[in-house]
Amino acid sequence: VYVLGHSYPYVYATVPVGGGPFDICSGSGHMYVSCAQSGEVVSIRTSDNTIESWAAAGEMPLGICITPDGQRLYVCCYGSGEVWCLDASTLEVIEVIPVGDGPWDICAHPSGEYLYLTCRLDGTVQVLRTSDNTITATVDVAEPTGIVSSVTGDCVYVCSYSADEVVKVRTADNSIEASIDVGTRPYNIAVTPNGMLAYVTCHFTERVYIIDLSIDTAVSYLEAGTRPNGVSLTSSGEYLYVSSSSSNTVHVLSLIHI
């Protein structure tokens, strides 16, 4: 895991973790990393970038998120069709939850009451109620990959990889409100802290598309390396980080100059 800044020397620290690190989330002074090849989750203390603990977490853990209260981690286990619920402080397993085929990514509603996860192989977005870890609804979306909640929680945005669009799902009734055309093979998505824009990595178009969320339309795009996949924003919304898998680079983009 690389610790990056937005100015030179950019890479501030490196932290060895398990095999195939795939996704990362933060909370309570820690970063949590899913390691797909070694089948574990690693907890990194952000104060000194050291590993505090690690634990087994199912077969091929991919997407990971932490509840807004910082108490629980939820990990998508792609290989076994499960979501593992872990105690964030100890990484002890609280519950293993059967879900759809090929769970890929997961995000939390701002209230923490629900989680939304993409099941890439069976073409669904599933709604998980955190009070009892029960799946309460399923929404059909073609080959869903990345997913993110809006700032207000009134909807979630889902990358539909094979349909080349971002699907907007209204959380009040879990219905599809809009389908937004983007580039070829959208992979991941991030929403600005002010809730006005979304940035979508499109794997084969090799661009990051910018969606105006007030009109649910892609209005522009950025060049961001070869095969862009991961995307993340700083908490201020000033900088965008885009990982490019085929060029082994991370692009750091200053949004205040765009």
Side-chain angles (χ1 to χ4, degrees), residues 8-25:
Y8 186 82
Y10 301 108
V11 178
Y12 289 88
T14 58
V15 185
V17 294
F22 184 87
D23 198 13
I24 194 165
C25 69

mmCIF file with all atom_site columns, all heavy atoms in Angstrom, residues 8-25:
data_model
loop_
_atom_site.group_PDB
_atom_site.id
_atom_site.type_symbol
_atom_site.label_atom_id
_atom_site.label_alt_id
_atom_site.label_comp_id
_atom_site.label_asym_id
_atom_site.label_entity_id
_atom_site.label_seq_id
_atom_site.pdbx_PDB_ins_code
_atom_site.Cartn_x
_atom_site.Cartn_y
_atom_site.Cartn_z
_atom_site.occupancy
_atom_site.B_iso_or_equiv
_atom_site.pdbx_formal_charge
_atom_site.auth_seq_id
_atom_site.auth_comp_id
_atom_site.auth_asym_id
_atom_site.auth_atom_id
_atom_site.pdbx_PDB_model_num
ATOM 1   N N   . TYR A 1 8  ? 5.150   16.915  -4.575 1.00 0.00 ? 8  TYR A N   1
ATOM 2   C CA  . TYR A 1 8  ? 6.394   16.154  -4.566 1.00 0.00 ? 8  TYR A CA  1
ATOM 3   C C   . TYR A 1 8  ? 6.896   15.960  -3.134 1.00 0.00 ? 8  TYR A C   1
ATOM 4   O O   . TYR A 1 8  ? 6.836   16.902  -2.357 1.00 0.00 ? 8  TYR A O   1
ATOM 5   C CB  . TYR A 1 8  ? 7.452   16.890  -5.407 1.00 0.00 ? 8  TYR A CB  1
ATOM 6   C CG  . TYR A 1 8  ? 8.731   16.111  -5.584 1.00 0.00 ? 8  TYR A CG  1
ATOM 7   C CD1 . TYR A 1 8  ? 8.822   15.135  -6.567 1.00 0.00 ? 8  TYR A CD1 1
ATOM 8   C CD2 . TYR A 1 8  ? 9.819   16.334  -4.749 1.00 0.00 ? 8  TYR A CD2 1
ATOM 9   C CE1 . TYR A 1 8  ? 9.982   14.400  -6.720 1.00 0.00 ? 8  TYR A CE1 1
ATOM 10  C CE2 . TYR A 1 8  ? 10.987  15.600  -4.885 1.00 0.00 ? 8  TYR A CE2 1
ATOM 11  C CZ  . TYR A 1 8  ? 11.053  14.632  -5.874 1.00 0.00 ? 8  TYR A CZ  1
ATOM 12  O OH  . TYR A 1 8  ? 12.194  13.895  -6.015 1.00 0.00 ? 8  TYR A OH  1
ATOM 13  N N   . PRO A 1 9  ? 7.347   14.771  -2.736 1.00 0.00 ? 9  PRO A N   1
ATOM 14  C CA  . PRO A 1 9  ? 7.689   13.603  -3.552 1.00 0.00 ? 9  PRO A CA  1
ATOM 15  C C   . PRO A 1 9  ? 6.539   12.638  -3.816 1.00 0.00 ? 9  PRO A C   1
ATOM 16  O O   . PRO A 1 9  ? 6.783   11.527  -4.279 1.00 0.00 ? 9  PRO A O   1
ATOM 17  C CB  . PRO A 1 9  ? 8.775   12.937  -2.703 1.00 0.00 ? 9  PRO A CB  1
ATOM 18  C CG  . PRO A 1 9  ? 8.367   13.243  -1.303 1.00 0.00 ? 9  PRO A CG  1
ATOM 19  C CD  . PRO A 1 9  ? 7.763   14.611  -1.341 1.00 0.00 ? 9  PRO A CD  1
ATOM 20  N N   . TYR A 1 10 ? 5.317   13.014  -3.522 1.00 0.00 ? 10 TYR A N   1
ATOM 21  C CA  . TYR A 1 10 ? 4.102   12.254  -3.811 1.00 0.00 ? 10 TYR A CA  1
ATOM 22  C C   . TYR A 1 10 ? 3.970   10.986  -2.966 1.00 0.00 ? 10 TYR A C   1
ATOM 23  O O   . TYR A 1 10 ? 2.983   10.819  -2.256 1.00 0.00 ? 10 TYR A O   1
ATOM 24  C CB  . TYR A 1 10 ? 3.985   11.910  -5.313 1.00 0.00 ? 10 TYR A CB  1
ATOM 25  C CG  . TYR A 1 10 ? 3.958   13.135  -6.180 1.00 0.00 ? 10 TYR A CG  1
ATOM 26  C CD1 . TYR A 1 10 ? 5.053   13.477  -6.966 1.00 0.00 ? 10 TYR A CD1 1
ATOM 27  C CD2 . TYR A 1 10 ? 2.850   13.979  -6.194 1.00 0.00 ? 10 TYR A CD2 1
ATOM 28  C CE1 . TYR A 1 10 ? 5.037   14.618  -7.753 1.00 0.00 ? 10 TYR A CE1 1
ATOM 29  C CE2 . TYR A 1 10 ? 2.815   15.125  -6.974 1.00 0.00 ? 10 TYR A CE2 1
ATOM 30  C CZ  . TYR A 1 10 ? 3.923   15.437  -7.750 1.00 0.00 ? 10 TYR A CZ  1
ATOM 31  O OH  . TYR A 1 10 ? 3.907   16.566  -8.506 1.00 0.00 ? 10 TYR A OH  1
ATOM 32  N N   . VAL A 1 11 ? 4.938   10.068  -3.069 1.00 0.00 ? 11 VAL A N   1
ATOM 33  C CA  . VAL A 1 11 ? 4.882   8.844   -2.259 1.00 0.00 ? 11 VAL A CA  1
ATOM 34  C C   . VAL A 1 11 ? 5.582   9.097   -0.929 1.00 0.00 ? 11 VAL A C   1
ATOM 35  O O   . VAL A 1 11 ? 6.783   9.346   -0.875 1.00 0.00 ? 11 VAL A O   1
ATOM 36  C CB  . VAL A 1 11 ? 5.547   7.656   -2.980 1.00 0.00 ? 11 VAL A CB  1
ATOM 37  C CG1 . VAL A 1 11 ? 5.523   6.415   -2.086 1.00 0.00 ? 11 VAL A CG1 1
ATOM 38  C CG2 . VAL A 1 11 ? 4.827   7.372   -4.300 1.00 0.00 ? 11 VAL A CG2 1
ATOM 39  N N   . TYR A 1 12 ? 4.799   9.046   0.151  1.00 0.00 ? 12 TYR A N   1
ATOM 40  C CA  . TYR A 1 12 ? 5.326   9.350   1.476  1.00 0.00 ? 12 TYR A CA  1
ATOM 41  C C   . TYR A 1 12 ? 5.688   8.108   2.270  1.00 0.00 ? 12 TYR A C   1
ATOM 42  O O   . TYR A 1 12 ? 6.509   8.168   3.180  1.00 0.00 ? 12 TYR A O   1
ATOM 43  C CB  . TYR A 1 12 ? 4.309   10.182  2.260  1.00 0.00 ? 12 TYR A CB  1
ATOM 44  C CG  . TYR A 1 12 ? 4.182   11.587  1.734  1.00 0.00 ? 12 TYR A CG  1
ATOM 45  C CD1 . TYR A 1 12 ? 3.289   11.896  0.704  1.00 0.00 ? 12 TYR A CD1 1
ATOM 46  C CD2 . TYR A 1 12 ? 4.960   12.613  2.244  1.00 0.00 ? 12 TYR A CD2 1
ATOM 47  C CE1 . TYR A 1 12 ? 3.185   13.188  0.207  1.00 0.00 ? 12 TYR A CE1 1
ATOM 48  C CE2 . TYR A 1 12 ? 4.858   13.913  1.756  1.00 0.00 ? 12 TYR A CE2 1
ATOM 49  C CZ  . TYR A 1 12 ? 3.968   14.193  0.738  1.00 0.00 ? 12 TYR A CZ  1
ATOM 50  O OH  . TYR A 1 12 ? 3.880   15.470  0.245  1.00 0.00 ? 12 TYR A OH  1
ATOM 51  N N   . ALA A 1 13 ? 5.053   6.989   1.947  1.00 0.00 ? 13 ALA A N   1
ATOM 52  C CA  . ALA A 1 13 ? 5.346   5.757   2.682  1.00 0.00 ? 13 ALA A CA  1
ATOM 53  C C   . ALA A 1 13 ? 4.827   4.573   1.886  1.00 0.00 ? 13 ALA A C   1
ATOM 54  O O   . ALA A 1 13 ? 3.927   4.717   1.047  1.00 0.00 ? 13 ALA A O   1
ATOM 55  C CB  . ALA A 1 13 ? 4.707   5.784   4.067  1.00 0.00 ? 13 ALA A CB  1
ATOM 56  N N   . THR A 1 14 ? 5.413   3.429   2.125  1.00 0.00 ? 14 THR A N   1
ATOM 57  C CA  . THR A 1 14 ? 4.893   2.171   1.583  1.00 0.00 ? 14 THR A CA  1
ATOM 58  C C   . THR A 1 14 ? 4.724   1.192   2.733  1.00 0.00 ? 14 THR A C   1
ATOM 59  O O   . THR A 1 14 ? 5.526   1.156   3.662  1.00 0.00 ? 14 THR A O   1
ATOM 60  C CB  . THR A 1 14 ? 5.831   1.566   0.526  1.00 0.00 ? 14 THR A CB  1
ATOM 61  O OG1 . THR A 1 14 ? 7.115   1.348   1.112  1.00 0.00 ? 14 THR A OG1 1
ATOM 62  C CG2 . THR A 1 14 ? 5.967   2.485   -0.677 1.00 0.00 ? 14 THR A CG2 1
ATOM 63  N N   . VAL A 1 15 ? 3.650   0.406   2.661  1.00 0.00 ? 15 VAL A N   1
ATOM 64  C CA  . VAL A 1 15 ? 3.327   -0.542  3.724  1.00 0.00 ? 15 VAL A CA  1
ATOM 65  C C   . VAL A 1 15 ? 3.126   -1.920  3.099  1.00 0.00 ? 15 VAL A C   1
ATOM 66  O O   . VAL A 1 15 ? 2.188   -2.113  2.314  1.00 0.00 ? 15 VAL A O   1
ATOM 67  C CB  . VAL A 1 15 ? 2.045   -0.123  4.477  1.00 0.00 ? 15 VAL A CB  1
ATOM 68  C CG1 . VAL A 1 15 ? 1.803   -1.060  5.657  1.00 0.00 ? 15 VAL A CG1 1
ATOM 69  C CG2 . VAL A 1 15 ? 2.131   1.324   4.939  1.00 0.00 ? 15 VAL A CG2 1
ATOM 70  N N   . PRO A 1 16 ? 3.993   -2.896  3.382  1.00 0.00 ? 16 PRO A N   1
ATOM 71  C CA  . PRO A 1 16 ? 3.782   -4.255  2.863  1.00 0.00 ? 16 PRO A CA  1
ATOM 72  C C   . PRO A 1 16 ? 2.527   -4.875  3.481  1.00 0.00 ? 16 PRO A C   1
ATOM 73  O O   . PRO A 1 16 ? 2.340   -4.805  4.705  1.00 0.00 ? 16 PRO A O   1
ATOM 74  C CB  . PRO A 1 16 ? 5.041   -5.002  3.307  1.00 0.00 ? 16 PRO A CB  1
ATOM 75  C CG  . PRO A 1 16 ? 6.019   -3.940  3.666  1.00 0.00 ? 16 PRO A CG  1
ATOM 76  C CD  . PRO A 1 16 ? 5.211   -2.782  4.174  1.00 0.00 ? 16 PRO A CD  1
ATOM 77  N N   . VAL A 1 17 ? 1.683   -5.466  2.638  1.00 0.00 ? 17 VAL A N   1
ATOM 78  C CA  . VAL A 1 17 ? 0.471   -6.125  3.131  1.00 0.00 ? 17 VAL A CA  1
ATOM 79  C C   . VAL A 1 17 ? 0.385   -7.517  2.498  1.00 0.00 ? 17 VAL A C   1
ATOM 80  O O   . VAL A 1 17 ? 1.364   -8.032  1.984  1.00 0.00 ? 17 VAL A O   1
ATOM 81  C CB  . VAL A 1 17 ? -0.791  -5.286  2.813  1.00 0.00 ? 17 VAL A CB  1
ATOM 82  C CG1 . VAL A 1 17 ? -0.769  -3.977  3.595  1.00 0.00 ? 17 VAL A CG1 1
ATOM 83  C CG2 . VAL A 1 17 ? -0.927  -5.011  1.320  1.00 0.00 ? 17 VAL A CG2 1
ATOM 84  N N   . GLY A 1 18 ? -0.789  -8.118  2.522  1.00 0.00 ? 18 GLY A N   1
ATOM 85  C CA  . GLY A 1 18 ? -0.968  -9.448  1.956  1.00 0.00 ? 18 GLY A CA  1
ATOM 86  C C   . GLY A 1 18 ? -0.997  -9.419  0.436  1.00 0.00 ? 18 GLY A C   1
ATOM 87  O O   . GLY A 1 18 ? -0.874  -8.366  -0.205 1.00 0.00 ? 18 GLY A O   1
ATOM 88  N N   . GLY A 1 19 ? -1.198  -10.584 -0.165 1.00 0.00 ? 19 GLY A N   1
ATOM 89  C CA  . GLY A 1 19 ? -1.158  -10.714 -1.611 1.00 0.00 ? 19 GLY A CA  1
ATOM 90  C C   . GLY A 1 19 ? -2.383  -10.130 -2.290 1.00 0.00 ? 19 GLY A C   1
ATOM 91  O O   . GLY A 1 19 ? -3.511  -10.324 -1.860 1.00 0.00 ? 19 GLY A O   1
ATOM 92  N N   . GLY A 1 20 ? -2.155  -9.388  -3.370 1.00 0.00 ? 20 GLY A N   1
ATOM 93  C CA  . GLY A 1 20 ? -3.242  -8.864  -4.186 1.00 0.00 ? 20 GLY A CA  1
ATOM 94  C C   . GLY A 1 20 ? -4.100  -7.821  -3.513 1.00 0.00 ? 20 GLY A C   1
ATOM 95  O O   . GLY A 1 20 ? -5.334  -7.952  -3.516 1.00 0.00 ? 20 GLY A O   1
ATOM 96  N N   . PRO A 1 21 ? -3.509  -6.755  -2.927 1.00 0.00 ? 21 PRO A N   1
ATOM 97  C CA  . PRO A 1 21 ? -4.350  -5.723  -2.329 1.00 0.00 ? 21 PRO A CA  1
ATOM 98  C C   . PRO A 1 21 ? -5.297  -5.141  -3.372 1.00 0.00 ? 21 PRO A C   1
ATOM 99  O O   . PRO A 1 21 ? -4.868  -4.778  -4.464 1.00 0.00 ? 21 PRO A O   1
ATOM 100 C CB  . PRO A 1 21 ? -3.337  -4.682  -1.830 1.00 0.00 ? 21 PRO A CB  1
ATOM 101 C CG  . PRO A 1 21 ? -2.068  -4.953  -2.592 1.00 0.00 ? 21 PRO A CG  1
ATOM 102 C CD  . PRO A 1 21 ? -2.075  -6.410  -2.860 1.00 0.00 ? 21 PRO A CD  1
ATOM 103 N N   . PHE A 1 22 ? -6.591  -5.061  -3.007 1.00 0.00 ? 22 PHE A N   1
ATOM 104 C CA  . PHE A 1 22 ? -7.609  -4.703  -4.008 1.00 0.00 ? 22 PHE A CA  1
ATOM 105 C C   . PHE A 1 22 ? -8.339  -3.412  -3.659 1.00 0.00 ? 22 PHE A C   1
ATOM 106 O O   . PHE A 1 22 ? -8.506  -2.547  -4.498 1.00 0.00 ? 22 PHE A O   1
ATOM 107 C CB  . PHE A 1 22 ? -8.616  -5.847  -4.139 1.00 0.00 ? 22 PHE A CB  1
ATOM 108 C CG  . PHE A 1 22 ? -9.642  -5.613  -5.223 1.00 0.00 ? 22 PHE A CG  1
ATOM 109 C CD1 . PHE A 1 22 ? -9.385  -5.977  -6.528 1.00 0.00 ? 22 PHE A CD1 1
ATOM 110 C CD2 . PHE A 1 22 ? -10.872 -5.028  -4.927 1.00 0.00 ? 22 PHE A CD2 1
ATOM 111 C CE1 . PHE A 1 22 ? -10.317 -5.758  -7.533 1.00 0.00 ? 22 PHE A CE1 1
ATOM 112 C CE2 . PHE A 1 22 ? -11.811 -4.793  -5.924 1.00 0.00 ? 22 PHE A CE2 1
ATOM 113 C CZ  . PHE A 1 22 ? -11.540 -5.165  -7.231 1.00 0.00 ? 22 PHE A CZ  1
ATOM 114 N N   . ASP A 1 23 ? -8.818  -3.282  -2.423 1.00 0.00 ? 23 ASP A N   1
ATOM 115 C CA  . ASP A 1 23 ? -9.622  -2.119  -2.054 1.00 0.00 ? 23 ASP A CA  1
ATOM 116 C C   . ASP A 1 23 ? -9.196  -1.622  -0.677 1.00 0.00 ? 23 ASP A C   1
ATOM 117 O O   . ASP A 1 23 ? -8.534  -2.343  0.078  1.00 0.00 ? 23 ASP A O   1
ATOM 118 C CB  . ASP A 1 23 ? -11.115 -2.488  -2.062 1.00 0.00 ? 23 ASP A CB  1
ATOM 119 C CG  . ASP A 1 23 ? -12.022 -1.268  -2.134 1.00 0.00 ? 23 ASP A CG  1
ATOM 120 O OD1 . ASP A 1 23 ? -11.526 -0.157  -2.420 1.00 0.00 ? 23 ASP A OD1 1
ATOM 121 O OD2 . ASP A 1 23 ? -13.239 -1.417  -1.905 1.00 0.00 ? 23 ASP A OD2 1
ATOM 122 N N   . ILE A 1 24 ? -9.614  -0.380  -0.372 1.00 0.00 ? 24 ILE A N   1
ATOM 123 C CA  . ILE A 1 24 ? -9.185  0.249   0.864  1.00 0.00 ? 24 ILE A CA  1
ATOM 124 C C   . ILE A 1 24 ? -10.280 1.179   1.368  1.00 0.00 ? 24 ILE A C   1
ATOM 125 O O   . ILE A 1 24 ? -11.017 1.759   0.578  1.00 0.00 ? 24 ILE A O   1
ATOM 126 C CB  . ILE A 1 24 ? -7.863  1.007   0.629  1.00 0.00 ? 24 ILE A CB  1
ATOM 127 C CG1 . ILE A 1 24 ? -7.176  1.401   1.936  1.00 0.00 ? 24 ILE A CG1 1
ATOM 128 C CG2 . ILE A 1 24 ? -8.061  2.203   -0.283 1.00 0.00 ? 24 ILE A CG2 1
ATOM 129 C CD1 . ILE A 1 24 ? -5.731  1.817   1.741  1.00 0.00 ? 24 ILE A CD1 1
ATOM 130 N N   . CYS A 1 25 ? -10.424 1.274   2.683  1.00 0.00 ? 25 CYS A N   1
ATOM 131 C CA  . CYS A 1 25 ? -11.345 2.229   3.280  1.00 0.00 ? 25 CYS A CA  1
ATOM 132 C C   . CYS A 1 25 ? -10.732 2.741   4.572  1.00 0.00 ? 25 CYS A C   1
ATOM 133 O O   . CYS A 1 25 ? -9.777  2.159   5.094  1.00 0.00 ? 25 CYS A O   1
ATOM 134 C CB  . CYS A 1 25 ? -12.730 1.621   3.520  1.00 0.00 ? 25 CYS A CB  1
ATOM 135 S SG  . CYS A 1 25 ? -12.782 0.360   4.817  1.00 0.00 ? 25 CYS A SG  1
#
